[in-house]
Amino acid sequence: MRISKETYEKLNELLKTYFESNAQADNFAYNLNFHYLNKMGDIYHHSFAHAFPSDIFADGLSDLMLKLGARPIRIGFPSYDKDYGRDVKALFADNVKMLEGIRELVKETIDVADMNDDIEVKIFLEDSILHNVLAFLKQSEEWLDAANYLTVDDL
């Protein structure tokens, strides 16, 4: 393995968080669709929820780990079954919290990689936070902002 044990453990924690975020985002999408916000649900599901297990997040990270001789581990996570009803403000507020959590964990992982001279991981995650995490966080904030101004029927 060409990375430190500490970095390896943080990467697996981050990988878990990406898959957990997919489960949580799927629940958000299911809520939107179930409560007759189909257009918003489809947009959210296909452009947002599907990104977490893809090359953008989880698959890209696991590919990097394998290139560095580290075996990714699929750590279990809780189920997500919260029913938001038609409260899109609460749903998108939780979506923002989810992305803020990802951002913080990526920053922590960058710090661990930096302290352990795992430069490839540091560079990969710095690129990820700039191009992916912040873009998804910004989109999440825009949806929350729209939910504060638009009616449920507008969405």
Side-chain angles (χ1 to χ4, degrees):
M1 188 164 71
R2 290 180 291 284
I3 56 175
S4 67
K5 182 179 186 262
E6 295 83 3
T7 300
Y8 174 69
E9 289 170 356
K10 288 300 280 187
L11 289 175
N12 275 312
E13 182 183 349
L14 184 57
L15 190 61
K16 171 192 169 262
T17 299
Y18 288 158
F19 284 116
E20 187 175 1
S21 297
N22 175 244
Q24 190 173 6
D26 278 345
N27 185 55
F28 295 155
Y30 301 156
N31 268 271
L32 291 167
N33 283 323
F34 181 78
H35 294 289
Y36 306 105
L37 301 166
N38 296 329
K39 187 174 183 180
M40 185 70 217
D42 288 345
I43 291 168
Y44 179 88
H45 193 230
H46 295 288
S47 67
F48 203 88
H50 283 187
F52 292 106
S54 76
D55 287 347
I56 296 171
F57 290 106
D59 284 350
L61 181 60
S62 62
D63 288 348
L64 173 70
M65 292 174 73
L66 291 168
K67 288 175 188 171
L68 294 170
R71 184 174 66 88
I73 297 174
R74 184 79 179 262
I75 301 169
F77 50 84
S79 64
Y80 287 93
D81 59 359
K82 182 175 181 179
D83 186 348
Y84 289 88
R86 291 173 64 89
D87 188 355
V88 294
K89 292 177 189 175
L91 185 149
F92 285 122
D94 283 352
N95 191 65
V96 168
K97 286 181 201 169
M98 179 182 75
L99 265 295
E100 287 172 341
I102 290 172
R103 180 175 177 259
E104 287 306 311
L105 184 55
V106 170
K107 287 173 24 181
E108 290 171 16
T109 308
I110 289 169
D111 288 344
V112 169
D114 189 33
M115 290 186 326
N116 288 286
D117 202 30
D118 294 320
I119 191 72
E120 298 92 348
V121 172
K122 181 178 182 278
I123 291 168
F124 178 87
L125 291 177
E126 286 174 342
D127 185 61
S128 175
I129 201 167
L130 288 174
H131 294 103
N132 301 326
V133 176
L134 290 178
F136 277 71
L137 179 55
K138 175 70 171 141
Q139 180 61 63
S140 298
E141 292 167 340
E142 289 174 3
W143 280 329
L144 178 58
D145 190 50
N148 286 320
Y149 293 101
L150 301 174
T151 67
V152 171
D153 294 328
D154 293 329
L155 295 171

